[in-house]
Amino acid sequence: MSRRAGVAASLFVTSALAACGDNLGPGFEPWVLEPLAASDGFWVRTPEFEVAAGAEIQDCYFFQVPAGATDLMVDRLTMALNPGSHHMNVFRVNTVRNLGPTDGAPVDLGGVQGRFVAGGAPGTGECWKAGNWSDWPLVANSQQSTPGQPILDWNLPDDVATRFAPGQWLMLQVHFVNATTQETPFRGRGGVNFHLSKDGDRQELGTLFATQQSIRICRSNPLQTYSGSCSMANGAHTIAAANGHFHSRGKRFSMYAWDGQSTERPADAARFYQSARWAEPDMATDLNVAVPDGGGIWWTCEFEWREPVEGCAAVDARDPLQAGDCCFTFGPTVESSEHCNAFAYYYPKSEDVNCF
Amino acid sequence: MFLIRCALATILATTALACSDDAPGACPVGDRGLPMELLAMTWDARAGEPVDLVDGGEVVLRRPIQGGKVIYVGVRARNVDGCGVQLTGALRDATSREVIALEQRPVRLVARADGWAVPATPLEQSLANVAACPNADAEVDLDGNRWELELRLEELQGGRRATLNLMVRPRCPADEAFECACECDSDFQIGGECPVDPGDEPDAGVDAGA
């Protein structure tokens, strides 16, 4: 495979004529991903949904990889989001705790029929609770949803593809925010095309998801930096893509190639990713970062507390300590909590890796 | 065996090259003109106070919010600015020297009557949350085996620092034994079947004898 992200514009069609209902509006051209024939891959589109003023919505859509006799190898992913999305993640369903396909209502996802679990009020429903997918391997993620660039077109490196088993359950999670730190000016919607490899890619893509679960950014101590390391197993690897994720107190997210031996932050020369854009963090898809045997990534989140526009009541309410210091702690809600999550994609796959 | 046997003797106190003792500490404990002293501590997360951790001691693996298993480890210290400090906690395979888990965070230590500065509440913020399980890099089960723990405390202003190393044995708690033994098995893979060790030998597993 030799296609690169630079040809993205030719790979999808944007048209104001598309049937996107209330998404029509000044300054917005609805994105369109072309449906894929079965011979070319599989695809999903969430329904459109309203994101009311002040709302945060996080919903989970379950669907199955098409049936077939052999595993499917995918070497290109196109992921589209309406403006206002905070994230879109795709996971492989594994242990079902309190969230699974059977908990959902039937939903038409375009290319497949699926199941839908609404997140409900922020932080309350099972689609908000990360412990429900703690052992579900990551497939892909996107946080790209600007009006001018709503589609992430990600061609995997030459000879690399991600593997799916026929009938395997996947979960597409979308998070939209229409509040003070992030706005959804139209309606919420997401979609993914999984393009089949047709050139015999031999190396499998592995994923790495790492998170700091215990963070605290308070008014009285506004500058905080958290770091961690996460190793891959069994041999040398190459990191092909990465992005970081935090909320609006996040000032800078950095990732470094790490040798697996040192307890010091790697030198700047080893840094392969940095983003200061919390709402639309860069997704680096053209990486070619060598990681030695036993090594992995070192990631760092730098935070700076700032006064919430809506005041500290909601932030203080979810502080386990009830310190009254407007402390942002770990959590999924953009307005009142913080994250420090690293996503990396590497090959050849040894195993999917979670560090938390 | 290069490792230091006695917790008190494990202290490697060094003043950093770029030390700036003129920089006022916000809450000094002890004499910052002397080398920083450290002792290891750990916390069960379901118990009350952190306790001293001795060489060869057990540390409890606990499930945090999002999943996995962490150990809560940190230090009490003397001759330090307890407010502006950064803690690094790392688990290392003593044979291969590979670091299998590491976390670095700002912490706050508060003065105690005996002259030591101890982790402030909330304890999970003042101790390193070292994400031990699952672990793609571990060649033996995390729980029940001995790992080298490295703890480093560094003043953010001036860079004075001290490091200590000791051996620890992570342990799955009884109330999370099944899940913990599964996730901490070196053969556990995200998305795969659980190879949890059978019967009454939760730490034996496929790595028995390792």
Side-chain angles (χ1 to χ4, degrees):
Chain A
M1 189 182 75
S2 60
R3 300 180 301 268
R4 306 301 298 170
V7 298
S10 66
L11 301 175
F12 61 89
V13 178
T14 56
S15 169
L17 300 177
C20 290
D22 290 347
N23 270 320
L24 294 174
F28 181 67
E29 291 191 5
W31 54 263
V32 175
L33 295 179
E34 293 182 81
L36 298 177
S39 58
D40 293 328
F42 56 100
W43 55 282
V44 292
R45 306 284 183 272
T46 73
E48 282 187 0
F49 52 88
E50 182 178 1
V51 186
E56 281 198 42
I57 291 176
Q58 181 160 296
D59 292 333
C60 291
Y61 298 88
F62 293 88
F63 60 98
Q64 285 179 283
V65 174
T70 59
D71 287 354
L72 303 180
M73 302 300 287
V74 167
D75 65 0
R76 178 183 165 211
L77 294 137
T78 42
M79 309 177 74
L81 287 164
N82 276 10
S85 173
H86 183 58
H87 78 247
M88 175 165 65
N89 297 334
V90 181
F91 294 98
R92 304 176 196 268
V93 176
N94 191 39
T95 304
V96 172
R97 298 173 187 271
N98 298 311
L99 176 70
T102 58
D103 300 316
V107 62
D108 183 354
L109 296 176
V112 296
Q113 297 300 303
R115 294 274 176 169
F116 166 68
V117 177
T124 60
E126 296 301 330
C127 186
W128 285 99
K129 298 175 181 174
N132 282 327
W133 55 89
S134 63
D135 69 350
W136 298 7
L138 173 72
V139 174
N141 80 304
S142 175
Q143 302 171 79
Q144 181 175 313
S145 67
T146 58
Q149 203 170 26
I151 298 178
L152 171 67
D153 191 356
W154 178 19
N155 287 287
L156 303 189
D158 291 349
D159 199 36
V160 177
T162 186
R163 179 186 299 273
F164 295 95
Q168 179 177 36
W169 279 100
L170 304 178
M171 187 266 274
L172 170 70
Q173 182 185 67
V174 294
H175 184 173
F176 278 81
V177 183
N178 192 13
T180 57
T181 59
Q182 204 162 21
E183 295 181 351
T184 299
F186 308 103
R187 286 165 67 90
R189 189 167 74 108
V192 185
N193 278 4
F194 301 83
H195 298 259
L196 292 182
S197 167
K198 296 184 176 180
D199 54 3
D201 294 325
R202 294 167 299 177
Q203 300 186 79
E204 196 172 341
L205 186 77
T207 63
L208 181 155
F209 173 62
T211 182
Q212 289 275 357
Q213 299 193 58
S214 186
I215 51 181
R216 190 173 179 86
I217 303 102
C218 303
R219 176 193 281 124
S220 65
N221 199 3
L223 299 175
Q224 302 289 337
T225 300
Y226 294 88
S227 297
S229 71
C230 189
S231 300
M232 303 151 193
N234 302 324
H237 301 285
T238 300
I239 295 172
N243 62 12
H245 176 91
F246 45 28
H247 301 165
S248 65
R249 278 62 54 181
K251 302 302 289 184
R252 189 162 52 187
F253 198 112
S254 305
M255 281 187 252
Y256 305 77
W258 175 62
D259 64 6
Q261 302 269 343
S262 174
T263 59
E264 306 280 355
R265 182 189 300 184
D268 287 349
R271 188 177 61 226
F272 62 84
Y273 177 88
Q274 190 163 73
S275 177
R277 303 169 63 211
W278 76 269
E280 296 287 339
D282 304 303
M283 169 70 157
T285 58
D286 57 353
L287 300 176
N288 184 26
V289 179
V291 177
D293 189 4
I297 69 161
W298 177 296
W299 85 99
T300 294
C301 297
E302 296 171 67
F303 294 100
E304 181 175 8
W305 181 91
R306 59 191 178 86
E307 190 79 32
V309 174
E310 300 294 328
C312 289
V315 178
D316 282 332
R318 61 182 312 286
D319 177 8
L321 277 190
Q322 293 293 290
D325 193 17
C326 205
C327 296
F328 292 89
T329 57
F330 175 90
T333 50
V334 172
E335 296 287 296
S336 58
S337 61
E338 267 302 337
H339 267 158
C340 172
N341 299 342
F343 299 83
Y345 301 87
Y346 76 95
Y347 65 92
K349 176 181 178 178
S350 48
E351 61 187 85
D352 291 316
V353 176
N354 280 4
C355 288
F356 49 60
Chain B
M1 188 72 169
F2 67 92
L3 290 169
I4 304 166
R5 297 295 182 183
C6 171
L8 282 172
T10 57
I11 301 166
L12 300 172
T14 59
T15 52
L17 295 175
C19 175
S20 173
D21 284 330
D22 294 331
C27 31
V29 178
D31 182 352
R32 293 180 62 245
L34 298 175
M36 196 185 297
E37 295 180 62
L38 305 183
L39 285 173
M41 303 194 84
T42 188
W43 178 51
D44 181 335
R46 296 204 180 160
E49 298 297 315
V51 296
D52 285 350
L53 177 59
V54 298
D55 188 42
E58 286 191 337
V59 289
V60 179
L61 293 150
R62 284 293 184 191
R63 175 187 169 90
I65 302 169
Q66 188 158 346
K69 294 289 179 291
V70 303
I71 57 170
Y72 296 96
V73 288
V75 296
R76 58 184 168 111
R78 280 195 297 214
N79 311 325
V80 66
D81 172 8
C83 293
V85 282
Q86 173 178 269
L87 174 67
T88 303
L91 277 178
R92 192 187 290 276
D93 183 318
T95 303
S96 70
R97 307 305 299 152
E98 286 190 0
V99 173
I100 60 157
L102 176 148
E103 201 223 30
Q104 188 176 73
R105 63 172 45 242
V107 298
R108 193 165 65 88
L109 305 177
V110 293
R112 201 168 64 180
D114 63 0
W116 288 87
V118 299
T121 55
L123 291 170
E124 60 267 49
Q125 298 293 333
S126 296
L127 298 166
N129 298 207
V130 181
C133 312
N135 199 300
D137 205 30
E139 295 186 356
V140 297
D141 295 352
L142 260 293
D143 59 312
N145 285 303
R146 285 161 57 88
W147 302 88
E148 183 183 341
L149 173 66
E150 179 175 319
L151 294 165
R152 184 173 69 241
L153 194 69
E154 179 174 6
E155 291 184 352
L156 294 173
Q157 282 203 339
R160 294 174 69 244
R161 56 164 55 183
T163 304
L164 67 83
N165 297 74
L166 68 163
M167 298 300 290
V168 297
R169 189 184 300 273
R171 173 177 63 82
C172 287
D175 58 350
E176 299 180 31
F178 181 88
E179 178 185 278
C180 177
C182 170
E183 286 187 311
C184 292
D185 193 303
S186 65
D187 292 298
F188 176 78
Q189 290 195 10
I190 294 293
E193 295 295 318
C194 183
V196 67
D197 302 318
D200 297 327
E201 299 178 358
D203 299 327
V206 294
D207 301 307

